[in-house]
Amino acid sequence: MFGLTFDKLLIVAVIAAFVIGPERLPAYAAKLGQLVRSLRDFANGAKDRMRDEMGPEFDDVDWKKLDPRQYDPRRIIREALLEDSPAEPTSAIKPVTQSAYAQRKMPLVAGAVPPYDTEST
């Protein structure tokens, strides 16, 4: 996160302690504690609201599986390329035998969907 390590945070904390001074340091530490508590309460409230809205399915969700940090694009592409059988087009889609020029010249009836061209994809 922003390239901050524990060492850098410790240096920033020491500098902040010198700048704030010993008189105001306890007040700022109390404010920081209140901020952390309010953020934790906000997160817990959001989690409780989500649990109420989702119902019993909330506990069934594998949250680690949905973590975006786990996705490796190379692995996803490799798995997609090594699939056993490619997806077959559905029988509802009929291949178009007309050229693209002829299709553009055809009048489009209101509410009609232009034909799907499987050859150009």
Side-chain angles (χ1 to χ4, degrees), residues 87-121:
E88 295 294 326
T90 61
S91 61
I93 300 173
K94 293 184 263 181
V96 177
T97 57
Q98 297 175 341
S99 68
Y101 178 76
Q103 289 178 14
R104 276 188 259 132
K105 293 297 180 183
M106 291 177 17
L108 185 61
V109 180
V113 179
Y116 178 72
D117 185 12
T118 57
E119 294 173 2
S120 65
T121 57

mmCIF file of all heavy atoms in Angstrom, residues 87-121:
data_model
loop_
_atom_site.group_PDB
_atom_site.id
_atom_site.type_symbol
_atom_site.label_atom_id
_atom_site.label_comp_id
_atom_site.label_asym_id
_atom_site.label_seq_id
_atom_site.Cartn_x
_atom_site.Cartn_y
_atom_site.Cartn_z
ATOM 1 N N ALA A 87 -16.461 -24.013 -26.565
ATOM 2 C CA ALA A 87 -17.910 -23.873 -26.482
ATOM 3 C C ALA A 87 -18.505 -23.893 -27.887
ATOM 4 O O ALA A 87 -18.034 -23.212 -28.783
ATOM 5 C CB ALA A 87 -18.268 -22.574 -25.781
ATOM 6 N N GLU A 88 -19.512 -24.699 -28.067
ATOM 7 C CA GLU A 88 -20.192 -24.807 -29.356
ATOM 8 C C GLU A 88 -21.268 -23.735 -29.440
ATOM 9 O O GLU A 88 -21.942 -23.457 -28.449
ATOM 10 C CB GLU A 88 -20.829 -26.193 -29.495
ATOM 11 C CG GLU A 88 -19.833 -27.315 -29.547
ATOM 12 C CD GLU A 88 -18.976 -27.274 -30.792
ATOM 13 O OE1 GLU A 88 -19.481 -26.865 -31.851
ATOM 14 O OE2 GLU A 88 -17.797 -27.626 -30.708
ATOM 15 N N PRO A 89 -21.468 -23.142 -30.612
ATOM 16 C CA PRO A 89 -22.551 -22.165 -30.737
ATOM 17 C C PRO A 89 -23.899 -22.855 -30.584
ATOM 18 O O PRO A 89 -24.063 -24.009 -30.967
ATOM 19 C CB PRO A 89 -22.371 -21.582 -32.133
ATOM 20 C CG PRO A 89 -21.515 -22.552 -32.860
ATOM 21 C CD PRO A 89 -20.717 -23.283 -31.822
ATOM 22 N N THR A 90 -24.847 -22.138 -30.045
ATOM 23 C CA THR A 90 -26.164 -22.720 -29.843
ATOM 24 C C THR A 90 -26.863 -22.899 -31.179
ATOM 25 O O THR A 90 -26.575 -22.227 -32.155
ATOM 26 C CB THR A 90 -27.022 -21.831 -28.936
ATOM 27 O OG1 THR A 90 -27.170 -20.562 -29.572
ATOM 28 C CG2 THR A 90 -26.377 -21.653 -27.583
ATOM 29 N N SER A 91 -27.827 -23.815 -31.226
ATOM 30 C CA SER A 91 -28.527 -24.096 -32.481
ATOM 31 C C SER A 91 -29.487 -22.973 -32.847
ATOM 32 O O SER A 91 -29.958 -22.913 -33.975
ATOM 33 C CB SER A 91 -29.272 -25.421 -32.366
ATOM 34 O OG SER A 91 -30.225 -25.336 -31.319
ATOM 35 N N ALA A 92 -29.817 -22.085 -31.911
ATOM 36 C CA ALA A 92 -30.737 -20.991 -32.207
ATOM 37 C C ALA A 92 -30.082 -19.958 -33.117
ATOM 38 O O ALA A 92 -30.761 -19.209 -33.811
ATOM 39 C CB ALA A 92 -31.203 -20.338 -30.918
ATOM 40 N N ILE A 93 -28.773 -19.895 -33.136
ATOM 41 C CA ILE A 93 -28.058 -18.930 -33.968
ATOM 42 C C ILE A 93 -27.742 -19.595 -35.294
ATOM 43 O O ILE A 93 -27.028 -20.587 -35.354
ATOM 44 C CB ILE A 93 -26.767 -18.453 -33.279
ATOM 45 C CG1 ILE A 93 -27.088 -17.796 -31.956
ATOM 46 C CG2 ILE A 93 -25.997 -17.524 -34.190
ATOM 47 C CD1 ILE A 93 -25.861 -17.444 -31.151
ATOM 48 N N LYS A 94 -28.299 -19.023 -36.365
ATOM 49 C CA LYS A 94 -28.065 -19.579 -37.688
ATOM 50 C C LYS A 94 -26.969 -18.790 -38.383
ATOM 51 O O LYS A 94 -26.957 -17.566 -38.310
ATOM 52 C CB LYS A 94 -29.346 -19.515 -38.517
ATOM 53 C CG LYS A 94 -30.448 -20.408 -37.993
ATOM 54 C CD LYS A 94 -31.631 -20.370 -38.910
ATOM 55 C CE LYS A 94 -32.619 -19.377 -38.356
ATOM 56 N NZ LYS A 94 -33.830 -19.233 -39.112
ATOM 57 N N PRO A 95 -26.050 -19.450 -39.039
ATOM 58 C CA PRO A 95 -25.016 -18.720 -39.746
ATOM 59 C C PRO A 95 -25.608 -17.919 -40.904
ATOM 60 O O PRO A 95 -26.547 -18.348 -41.561
ATOM 61 C CB PRO A 95 -24.053 -19.789 -40.249
ATOM 62 C CG PRO A 95 -24.695 -21.086 -39.981
ATOM 63 C CD PRO A 95 -25.869 -20.884 -39.101
ATOM 64 N N VAL A 96 -25.052 -16.754 -41.143
ATOM 65 C CA VAL A 96 -25.515 -15.877 -42.209
ATOM 66 C C VAL A 96 -24.727 -16.202 -43.471
ATOM 67 O O VAL A 96 -23.507 -16.306 -43.443
ATOM 68 C CB VAL A 96 -25.326 -14.400 -41.798
ATOM 69 C CG1 VAL A 96 -25.731 -13.480 -42.925
ATOM 70 C CG2 VAL A 96 -26.132 -14.110 -40.550
ATOM 71 N N THR A 97 -25.444 -16.342 -44.572
ATOM 72 C CA THR A 97 -24.781 -16.683 -45.823
ATOM 73 C C THR A 97 -24.600 -15.475 -46.721
ATOM 74 O O THR A 97 -23.950 -15.566 -47.746
ATOM 75 C CB THR A 97 -25.591 -17.752 -46.571
ATOM 76 O OG1 THR A 97 -26.920 -17.262 -46.775
ATOM 77 C CG2 THR A 97 -25.617 -19.043 -45.775
ATOM 78 N N GLN A 98 -25.184 -14.337 -46.334
ATOM 79 C CA GLN A 98 -25.064 -13.144 -47.154
ATOM 80 C C GLN A 98 -23.794 -12.388 -46.790
ATOM 81 O O GLN A 98 -23.270 -12.503 -45.690
ATOM 82 C CB GLN A 98 -26.256 -12.229 -46.943
ATOM 83 C CG GLN A 98 -27.566 -12.853 -47.364
ATOM 84 C CD GLN A 98 -28.728 -11.941 -47.014
ATOM 85 O OE1 GLN A 98 -28.583 -11.076 -46.186
ATOM 86 N NE2 GLN A 98 -29.864 -12.163 -47.660
ATOM 87 N N SER A 99 -23.333 -11.574 -47.735
ATOM 88 C CA SER A 99 -22.158 -10.750 -47.465
ATOM 89 C C SER A 99 -22.544 -9.589 -46.561
ATOM 90 O O SER A 99 -23.716 -9.262 -46.401
ATOM 91 C CB SER A 99 -21.582 -10.212 -48.773
ATOM 92 O OG SER A 99 -22.489 -9.281 -49.339
ATOM 93 N N ALA A 100 -21.545 -8.988 -45.975
ATOM 94 C CA ALA A 100 -21.790 -7.851 -45.096
ATOM 95 C C ALA A 100 -22.402 -6.688 -45.875
ATOM 96 O O ALA A 100 -23.257 -5.962 -45.372
ATOM 97 C CB ALA A 100 -20.490 -7.414 -44.432
ATOM 98 N N TYR A 101 -21.995 -6.526 -47.135
ATOM 99 C CA TYR A 101 -22.547 -5.452 -47.961
ATOM 100 C C TYR A 101 -24.042 -5.676 -48.200
ATOM 101 O O TYR A 101 -24.851 -4.765 -48.092
ATOM 102 C CB TYR A 101 -21.802 -5.382 -49.300
ATOM 103 C CG TYR A 101 -22.344 -4.316 -50.222
ATOM 104 C CD1 TYR A 101 -22.049 -2.980 -50.004
ATOM 105 C CD2 TYR A 101 -23.164 -4.653 -51.296
ATOM 106 C CE1 TYR A 101 -22.560 -2.007 -50.830
ATOM 107 C CE2 TYR A 101 -23.668 -3.690 -52.135
ATOM 108 C CZ TYR A 101 -23.375 -2.357 -51.899
ATOM 109 O OH TYR A 101 -23.882 -1.398 -52.705
ATOM 110 N N ALA A 102 -24.434 -6.927 -48.493
ATOM 111 C CA ALA A 102 -25.842 -7.232 -48.729
ATOM 112 C C ALA A 102 -26.654 -7.057 -47.451
ATOM 113 O O ALA A 102 -27.799 -6.622 -47.494
ATOM 114 C CB ALA A 102 -25.991 -8.652 -49.267
ATOM 115 N N GLN A 103 -26.067 -7.367 -46.318
ATOM 116 C CA GLN A 103 -26.774 -7.199 -45.059
ATOM 117 C C GLN A 103 -27.031 -5.728 -44.766
ATOM 118 O O GLN A 103 -28.087 -5.361 -44.256
ATOM 119 C CB GLN A 103 -25.982 -7.807 -43.910
ATOM 120 C CG GLN A 103 -25.959 -9.308 -43.923
ATOM 121 C CD GLN A 103 -25.114 -9.852 -42.791
ATOM 122 O OE1 GLN A 103 -24.775 -9.130 -41.871
ATOM 123 N NE2 GLN A 103 -24.775 -11.119 -42.878
ATOM 124 N N ARG A 104 -26.074 -4.858 -45.091
ATOM 125 C CA ARG A 104 -26.255 -3.429 -44.844
ATOM 126 C C ARG A 104 -27.340 -2.846 -45.741
ATOM 127 O O ARG A 104 -27.994 -1.889 -45.381
ATOM 128 C CB ARG A 104 -24.941 -2.688 -45.063
ATOM 129 C CG ARG A 104 -24.070 -2.736 -43.826
ATOM 130 C CD ARG A 104 -22.866 -1.846 -43.989
ATOM 131 N NE ARG A 104 -21.763 -2.750 -44.333
ATOM 132 C CZ ARG A 104 -20.911 -2.564 -45.316
ATOM 133 N NH1 ARG A 104 -20.972 -1.490 -46.046
ATOM 134 N NH2 ARG A 104 -19.968 -3.430 -45.573
ATOM 135 N N LYS A 105 -27.526 -3.399 -46.918
ATOM 136 C CA LYS A 105 -28.522 -2.894 -47.853
ATOM 137 C C LYS A 105 -29.937 -3.368 -47.521
ATOM 138 O O LYS A 105 -30.899 -2.836 -48.030
ATOM 139 C CB LYS A 105 -28.167 -3.314 -49.290
ATOM 140 C CG LYS A 105 -26.916 -2.671 -49.806
ATOM 141 C CD LYS A 105 -27.125 -1.177 -49.872
ATOM 142 C CE LYS A 105 -25.872 -0.486 -50.396
ATOM 143 N NZ LYS A 105 -26.007 0.953 -50.397
ATOM 144 N N MET A 106 -30.061 -4.396 -46.684
ATOM 145 C CA MET A 106 -31.385 -4.913 -46.336
ATOM 146 C C MET A 106 -32.091 -3.910 -45.439
ATOM 147 O O MET A 106 -31.487 -3.353 -44.527
ATOM 148 C CB MET A 106 -31.272 -6.255 -45.594
ATOM 149 C CG MET A 106 -30.796 -7.388 -46.451
ATOM 150 S SD MET A 106 -30.567 -8.985 -45.610
ATOM 151 C CE MET A 106 -31.431 -8.861 -44.112
ATOM 152 N N PRO A 107 -33.404 -3.668 -45.670
ATOM 153 C CA PRO A 107 -34.126 -2.753 -44.784
ATOM 154 C C PRO A 107 -34.333 -3.415 -43.425
ATOM 155 O O PRO A 107 -34.577 -4.619 -43.329
ATOM 156 C CB PRO A 107 -35.448 -2.523 -45.511
ATOM 157 C CG PRO A 107 -35.621 -3.721 -46.382
ATOM 158 C CD PRO A 107 -34.244 -4.173 -46.745
ATOM 159 N N LEU A 108 -34.239 -2.618 -42.383
ATOM 160 C CA LEU A 108 -34.421 -3.125 -41.024
ATOM 161 C C LEU A 108 -35.838 -2.816 -40.576
ATOM 162 O O LEU A 108 -36.248 -1.665 -40.524
ATOM 163 C CB LEU A 108 -33.407 -2.490 -40.075
ATOM 164 C CG LEU A 108 -33.400 -3.005 -38.649
ATOM 165 C CD1 LEU A 108 -33.063 -4.501 -38.658
ATOM 166 C CD2 LEU A 108 -32.395 -2.264 -37.816
ATOM 167 N N VAL A 109 -36.592 -3.842 -40.291
ATOM 168 C CA VAL A 109 -37.969 -3.692 -39.853
ATOM 169 C C VAL A 109 -37.950 -3.301 -38.382
ATOM 170 O O VAL A 109 -37.108 -3.761 -37.613
ATOM 171 C CB VAL A 109 -38.738 -5.015 -40.063
ATOM 172 C CG1 VAL A 109 -40.178 -4.891 -39.618
ATOM 173 C CG2 VAL A 109 -38.641 -5.453 -41.505
ATOM 174 N N ALA A 110 -38.886 -2.435 -37.967
ATOM 175 C CA ALA A 110 -38.943 -1.979 -36.575
ATOM 176 C C ALA A 110 -39.096 -3.174 -35.649
ATOM 177 O O ALA A 110 -39.967 -4.016 -35.835
ATOM 178 C CB ALA A 110 -40.098 -1.012 -36.385
ATOM 179 N N GLY A 111 -38.239 -3.264 -34.657
ATOM 180 C CA GLY A 111 -38.280 -4.339 -33.674
ATOM 181 C C GLY A 111 -37.526 -5.579 -34.086
ATOM 182 O O GLY A 111 -37.360 -6.500 -33.297
ATOM 183 N N ALA A 112 -37.041 -5.636 -35.308
ATOM 184 C CA ALA A 112 -36.307 -6.812 -35.774
ATOM 185 C C ALA A 112 -34.851 -6.709 -35.359
ATOM 186 O O ALA A 112 -34.303 -5.625 -35.218
ATOM 187 C CB ALA A 112 -36.407 -6.938 -37.290
ATOM 188 N N VAL A 113 -34.241 -7.821 -35.173
ATOM 189 C CA VAL A 113 -32.832 -7.876 -34.797
ATOM 190 C C VAL A 113 -32.042 -8.269 -36.029
ATOM 191 O O VAL A 113 -32.400 -9.233 -36.718
ATOM 192 C CB VAL A 113 -32.607 -8.905 -33.670
ATOM 193 C CG1 VAL A 113 -31.152 -8.998 -33.295
ATOM 194 C CG2 VAL A 113 -33.453 -8.545 -32.471
ATOM 195 N N PRO A 114 -30.975 -7.543 -36.353
ATOM 196 C CA PRO A 114 -30.196 -7.929 -37.524
ATOM 197 C C PRO A 114 -29.585 -9.306 -37.334
ATOM 198 O O PRO A 114 -29.316 -9.730 -36.211
ATOM 199 C CB PRO A 114 -29.111 -6.860 -37.612
ATOM 200 C CG PRO A 114 -29.212 -6.037 -36.402
ATOM 201 C CD PRO A 114 -30.475 -6.377 -35.696
ATOM 202 N N PRO A 115 -29.372 -10.052 -38.410
ATOM 203 C CA PRO A 115 -28.835 -11.418 -38.294
ATOM 204 C C PRO A 115 -27.432 -11.405 -37.715
ATOM 205 O O PRO A 115 -26.677 -10.471 -37.888
ATOM 206 C CB PRO A 115 -28.854 -11.958 -39.716
ATOM 207 C CG PRO A 115 -28.999 -10.757 -40.594
ATOM 208 C CD PRO A 115 -29.631 -9.674 -39.787
ATOM 209 N N TYR A 116 -27.112 -12.474 -37.020
ATOM 210 C CA TYR A 116 -25.811 -12.632 -36.383
ATOM 211 C C TYR A 116 -24.864 -13.306 -37.365
ATOM 212 O O TYR A 116 -25.167 -14.375 -37.897
ATOM 213 C CB TYR A 116 -25.974 -13.489 -35.110
ATOM 214 C CG TYR A 116 -24.688 -13.758 -34.401
ATOM 215 C CD1 TYR A 116 -24.041 -12.751 -33.698
ATOM 216 C CD2 TYR A 116 -24.102 -15.014 -34.430
ATOM 217 C CE1 TYR A 116 -22.867 -13.000 -33.036
ATOM 218 C CE2 TYR A 116 -22.922 -15.274 -33.780
ATOM 219 C CZ TYR A 116 -22.309 -14.256 -33.085
ATOM 220 O OH TYR A 116 -21.135 -14.475 -32.429
ATOM 221 N N ASP A 117 -23.731 -12.691 -37.578
ATOM 222 C CA ASP A 117 -22.751 -13.218 -38.519
ATOM 223 C C ASP A 117 -21.676 -13.975 -37.751
ATOM 224 O O ASP A 117 -20.871 -13.383 -37.052
ATOM 225 C CB ASP A 117 -22.118 -12.076 -39.328
ATOM 226 C CG ASP A 117 -21.177 -12.583 -40.406
ATOM 227 O OD1 ASP A 117 -21.185 -13.789 -40.666
ATOM 228 O OD2 ASP A 117 -20.473 -11.749 -40.979
ATOM 229 N N THR A 118 -21.685 -15.301 -37.839
ATOM 230 C CA THR A 118 -20.714 -16.117 -37.108
ATOM 231 C C THR A 118 -19.389 -16.203 -37.823
ATOM 232 O O THR A 118 -18.395 -16.580 -37.226
ATOM 233 C CB THR A 118 -21.252 -17.537 -36.893
ATOM 234 O OG1 THR A 118 -21.556 -18.112 -38.152
ATOM 235 C CG2 THR A 118 -22.478 -17.512 -36.016
ATOM 236 N N GLU A 119 -19.358 -15.879 -39.095
ATOM 237 C CA GLU A 119 -18.121 -16.017 -39.847
ATOM 238 C C GLU A 119 -17.137 -14.901 -39.541
ATOM 239 O O GLU A 119 -15.931 -15.083 -39.620
ATOM 240 C CB GLU A 119 -18.437 -16.031 -41.345
ATOM 241 C CG GLU A 119 -19.233 -17.249 -41.755
ATOM 242 C CD GLU A 119 -19.676 -17.174 -43.206
ATOM 243 O OE1 GLU A 119 -19.328 -16.183 -43.880
ATOM 244 O OE2 GLU A 119 -20.365 -18.086 -43.655
ATOM 245 N N SER A 120 -17.638 -13.709 -39.184
ATOM 246 C CA SER A 120 -16.738 -12.585 -38.946
ATOM 247 C C SER A 120 -16.218 -12.554 -37.525
ATOM 248 O O SER A 120 -15.353 -11.769 -37.205
ATOM 249 C CB SER A 120 -17.462 -11.277 -39.247
ATOM 250 O OG SER A 120 -18.531 -11.094 -38.328
ATOM 251 N N THR A 121 -16.715 -13.405 -36.632
ATOM 252 C CA THR A 121 -16.232 -13.402 -35.246
ATOM 253 C C THR A 121 -15.165 -14.398 -35.030
ATOM 254 O O THR A 121 -14.874 -15.264 -35.736
ATOM 255 C CB THR A 121 -17.383 -13.674 -34.245
ATOM 256 O OG1 THR A 121 -17.994 -14.900 -34.582
ATOM 257 C CG2 THR A 121 -18.348 -12.524 -34.254
#
